[in-house]
């Protein structure tokens, strides 16, 4: 198992650089975590450490109550929210949190991003929904994420007045959802600045989403 | 011929980095292809592979029906659209597809970008037109591109609720059109945020476009 | 003491690169300074020197009246404002000045940035206030900064028609405040472009700010 | 003299990278030139060559009628405009042209950028004025630049429906003006999106501009 954890430490450390590359985070804000498959454990970013200094070694190993199992630093202050998601969504293997600009701008108005782009139908299959306003410090944020995404196709939720949480089968999928969330939040914002984007028919959204989730990319066997 | 194809593989792989450099793509979205001159073949990006991992070797060689001739990965999910363009436009040697932000924002409203900048008259010679809404999976997108650009000076079309396709005599020209399309879509958007851009006279557009297409740049013999 | 000053020279030189990294400055605009702990001295950027050429060696050592103590160049033209802050705020160890785009846009309207994001409650604990219009050349800017921030939780002030000044316990904290100031100024701006951001309750702002200022990040002993 | 020209070739080639760094240009658009001091000669970018491939060696030496004196490529298609400026403004040693987004957005509306920021008073000392609509191909653009900037403090002019031209005592000063022009065009644009920027009093503009042009930066003897 320690080999799996070492690989996850590297994977989670590296994925944080994708948040930097796509401009989703500033300073020490934002975090990525991954569930240790088959274990009640997660790997997450340390709290308040610069993105330049993130290494596989300083990632924190926690149990699913957010207690540190291995690590010299404190874990991300959002660890409780990540842990709550893993406890209540066994299908989720990765969680990401950012305050990316455009997504957070929609969140600040408490307004979902309408599904008006084919790329949004592909990745989100619906509007990106708004979760409740919740203070850090207990299970409120985690519960808000889980309740909002229950039965929703979208892997992203805009927590009111706060920012974005995304989920995925693994950490990479959750990072991809965070990147796509900001991208479509920005494009739809820009589009609405000069008028109303055309609606997509529900049937078209359904077909695009089905195809993308089942056909797009490389077949596992091909990689 | 295999030497030509090797050169095209390198050229197409390299041109994908221009999409990254100019911020036209995120994650694995977007794709560039090139026709193999004199052959019923095209070279295109593999599907769902990171831009960091694109190499001459993993570009996919397809016939003009989109079937893989050589390549270990699946070709871009937009291959059918590229192939359709090559079959119906023998003058086209390169095709590019992106969801670049500002161009896609106009596409989401189904609104063409008006030709109000001299740089737009140079490169596009007209408004950047809107193509139909078309679902992926058959010839609808390819047909929409070809029909919209038939008899149009613009090498770019904004596919409704989707994104941009550009064409060119070769892949580099199509990439240039994609870069310029986003650039003018952004500038005209920004300009309209605070009022109406001044119209350009048709006669001025015609003169600028003629000069740019026939005089600008280095004479072939000079290079 | 000269060892402390050498460390501060390096620290201040390096922190200027954070202004570049986050796009807060262009050309030679902007500056960071640090108080020499326990001395009536400060270290600051030279005036009109390119960010590429900033080194520990060309940082300027001044007294708290802004007179050069050590350095081959003239100090930043904003040195008087920095020095005024250090003279009147013994708790301040670092000062930063930028014309970052979104913060300066609020400053140009003379409008404070309302506290409508949890990240803003964390870092600023209140709106980011507007300071007076003040000309460079005497103590007006320094006095405007000190008077506006007196008794205010925010470490950032938007000087009317001008730009941002931030303070911190050290230079790094002031740079962090400058980075966060632009980040939230941008997000709130974008949010307001399409409607009104939801207000945060004062009680929630208070609780978030208290927690962030007292609990977030690594405990000193842990580092 | 050939040593002076070699130095200018390097200087002009290098300064083009500043246009890239600050995002003022895409693809091959934009150009920088420098007058050869004391000679009826200028050094300018070749036409249609990628910014990655610009070197001291491929800069073009022209006379002040725009004829190539030395160079293997064709000079920038804007050479006639640069040459006209040098012929009619003996005080000008550098000229820059870009289509930078925010400046061009104001140009597309034919609207000057009002002087509402202290940084704008410093560098421009007034609004950034609008020049006439002029087609490429004869002296119209050059004449429009010279006539608009005659007796104006601003080193930048927004050519209607086109883009920016800036002048300076040398090429570096003109590049600085191009960078600052885009910066203030963007900040004032953003500010006006949510209301009206506060006006600056003419007297304050005058004082700021006098000080900046006469006191800011390093004294020549100090460098």
């Amino acid at each position: 198992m320690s080999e799996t954890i070492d690989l996850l430490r590297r994977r989670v450390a590296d994925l944080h650089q994708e948040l930097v590359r796509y401009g989703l985070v500033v300073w020490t804000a934002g975090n990525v975590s991954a569930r240790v498959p088959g274990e009640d454990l997660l790997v997450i970013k340390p709290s308040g450490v610069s993105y330049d200094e993130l290494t596989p070694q300083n990632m924190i190993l926690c149990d699913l109550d957010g207690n540190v199992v291995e690590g010299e630093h404190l874990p991300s202050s959002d660890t409780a929210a990540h842990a709550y998601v893993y406890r209540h969504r066994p299908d989720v293997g990765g969680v990401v949190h950012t305050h990316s600009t455009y997504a957070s701008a929609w969140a600040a108005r408490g307004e979902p991003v309408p599904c008006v782009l084919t790329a949004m139908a592909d990745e989100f299959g619906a509007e990106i929904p708004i979760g409740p306003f919740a203070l850090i410090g207990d299970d409120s944020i985690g519960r808000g994420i889980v309740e909002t995404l229950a039965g929703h196709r979208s892997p992203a939720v805009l927590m009111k007045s706060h920012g974005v949480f995304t989920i995925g089968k693994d950490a990479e999928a959750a990072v991809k959802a965070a990147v796509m969330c900001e991208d479509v939040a920005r494009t739809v914002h820009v589009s609405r600045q000069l008028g109303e984007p055309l609606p997509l028919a529900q049937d078209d959204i359904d077909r695009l989403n089905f195809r993308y989730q089942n056909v797009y990319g490389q077949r596992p066997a091909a990689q």
Side-chain angles (χ1 to χ4, degrees), chain A:
Chain A
M1 189 187 79
S2 105
E3 202 183 331
T4 302
I5 291 173
D6 285 352
L7 284 171
L8 276 178
R9 283 177 174 281
R10 173 164 298 281
R11 194 83 198 103
V12 170
D14 288 351
L15 282 166
H16 279 93
Q17 298 311 321
E18 299 294 312
L19 305 188
V20 174
R21 182 207 299 236
Y22 288 107
L24 307 188
V25 293
V26 299
W27 212 253
T28 64
N31 37 72
V32 177
S33 74
R35 183 200 292 272
V36 182
E39 305 290 328
D40 285 346
L41 295 169
L42 63 89
V43 172
I44 195 165
K45 172 168 164 283
S47 178
V49 172
S50 156
Y51 278 84
D52 289 349
E53 293 166 13
L54 296 181
T55 62
Q57 287 71 42
N58 61 23
M59 294 295 110
I60 311 298
L61 185 69
C62 292
D63 66 25
L64 294 194
D65 292 314
N67 302 307
V68 175
V69 172
E70 203 177 279
E72 291 176 26
H73 296 79
L74 293 176
S76 163
S77 59
D78 297 301
T79 301
H82 291 244
Y84 187 98
V85 174
Y86 292 121
R87 289 202 305 278
H88 292 81
R89 286 284 302 255
D91 58 316
V92 168
V95 175
V96 172
H97 174 49
T98 82
H99 300 157
S100 64
T101 302
Y102 286 85
S104 298
W106 291 89
R109 290 194 310 272
E111 208 177 328
V113 184
C115 185
V116 296
L117 296 165
T118 56
M120 226 184 132
D122 286 349
E123 175 73 23
F124 300 94
E127 68 177 22
I128 301 176
I130 292 289
F133 178 76
L135 288 183
I136 200 165
D138 59 15
D139 276 348
S140 310
I141 294 178
R143 203 167 51 236
I145 298 165
V146 167
E147 289 177 2
T148 308
L149 294 182
H152 207 291
R153 280 174 185 159
S154 169
V157 52
L158 307 177
M159 294 300 283
K160 202 178 282 183
S161 309
H162 181 180
V164 187
F165 281 87
T166 61
I167 58 175
K169 68 179 185 351
D170 53 26
E172 185 174 15
V175 170
K176 182 193 178 191
V179 170
M180 297 306 291
C181 177
E182 180 65 2
D183 191 55
V184 299
R186 179 171 46 230
T187 302
V188 178
H189 174 90
V190 169
S191 189
R192 275 191 57 191
Q193 288 187 308
L194 297 180
E196 270 310 309
L198 303 169
L200 286 188
Q202 187 61 47
D203 190 50
D204 289 332
I205 294 173
D206 293 347
R207 283 196 282 178
L208 284 163
N209 188 249
F210 179 83
R211 186 194 152 281
Y212 189 77
Q213 300 300 330
N214 294 282
V215 181
Y216 180 76
Q218 301 301 322
R219 280 184 290 261
Q223 291 199 317

